[in-house]
Amino acid sequence: MANPYIQLQPTITMLVDKREKRPLPFPEVMPWVFGRGRHKIERLFRIAVDSSQNLDAGDYVLKGYEHVARVERKGAISELMQNLFTADRGRQERSLKKLVESCTTPYLLLDMHPRECMTDPYVKNPREVMCEVYRLCAWRGLRLIWLHVGNDVTARKNVGLQVASLLWEHAWETIVKKQHPSKGVSNV
């Protein structure tokens, strides 16, 4: 049986939708630890970013694992209001449906402070907007991530690292399952 550690590539490529208005920056290197305790193996991966194409679903995906996990990012409560309570709703519903159908693990990343969701002066009823977001997540099977760092470049790059790490973990699980179909990742 082939060793999945040996087949790893030293570079992972993050695909970023070119329509993303404020894309997350990614660090050049992602540290990763395989296993635990005395069985752990530490590895560094270079992160390449390709933002040259329109993605068919989501804003962030790991190249080669598009069917596994994707992340759709929303940057403000006003964006959610526009997407869910205007004529744009139909397009947004189709977009989220496509996201869910395109991969086994779709994520919705809210890149905003929770306080903004209750106090934004430009949104008439922010609580109603958030209830609709939670409803869509429940109905569509979206996993919700809430991260906000504002405009600090280092903190935004850290969020990029977290997104890359999350997508990599899903890719790694897929690699291991191909090598060891009867075992889960934690058993390898």
Side-chain angles (χ1 to χ4, degrees):
M1 176 112 2
N3 184 338
Y5 295 108
I6 294 176
Q7 297 176 355
L8 299 174
Q9 301 300 315
T11 300
I12 61 172
T13 302
M14 288 298 305
L15 300 178
V16 179
D17 191 284
K18 77 176 187 180
R19 296 164 293 194
E20 180 75 338
K21 293 180 179 78
R22 192 170 171 240
L24 292 170
F26 292 90
E28 293 180 15
V29 175
M30 179 182 76
W32 196 256
V33 179
F34 298 96
R36 288 180 286 239
R38 67 176 202 251
H39 299 290
K40 73 180 180 185
I41 297 172
E42 297 184 37
R43 183 97 187 237
L44 294 176
F45 291 87
R46 287 191 314 269
I47 298 178
V49 178
D50 179 354
S51 58
S52 66
Q53 57 189 309
N54 292 340
L55 298 180
D56 58 348
D59 295 317
Y60 302 94
V61 65
L62 194 60
K63 184 176 182 178
Y65 298 93
E66 293 87 343
H67 65 288
V68 178
R70 292 177 182 248
V71 175
E72 171 73 20
R73 187 185 74 83
K74 297 297 178 188
I77 188 82
S78 56
E79 180 182 5
L80 290 167
M81 176 73 177
Q82 172 69 29
N83 290 159
L84 301 174
F85 290 91
T86 68
D88 193 37
R89 182 176 179 105
R91 184 199 61 79
Q92 186 61 49
E93 289 241 356
R94 288 187 299 278
S95 175
L96 291 175
K97 182 176 187 230
K98 190 182 281 190
L99 174 66
V100 169
E101 292 172 347
S102 69
C103 64
T104 54
T105 314
Y107 288 91
L108 178 61
L109 167 62
L110 299 183
D111 184 6
M112 62 191 81
H113 195 284
R115 181 177 53 243
E116 174 189 349
C117 295
M118 297 302 141
T119 61
D120 189 313
Y122 302 106
V123 176
K124 184 178 177 183
N125 189 343
R127 183 69 188 149
E128 182 180 2
V129 174
M130 291 313 301
C131 285
E132 190 61 19
V133 168
Y134 301 140
R135 196 173 294 120
L136 279 170
C137 287
W139 290 352
R140 293 272 183 216
L142 291 165
R143 294 179 182 192
L144 186 62
I145 306 171
W146 206 309
L147 292 171
H148 175 67
V149 294
N151 294 320
D152 179 75
V153 175
T154 302
R156 285 184 52 73
K157 193 175 275 192
N158 196 13
V159 171
L161 174 62
Q162 301 311 314
V163 168
S165 297
L166 176 68
L167 293 173
W168 171 247
E169 178 56 34
H170 284 288
W172 176 241
E173 181 181 12
T174 301
I175 292 167
V176 170
K177 283 182 179 176
K178 283 182 182 176
Q179 295 292 325
H180 306 279
S182 64
K183 296 182 180 180
V185 172
S186 62
N187 294 327
V188 175

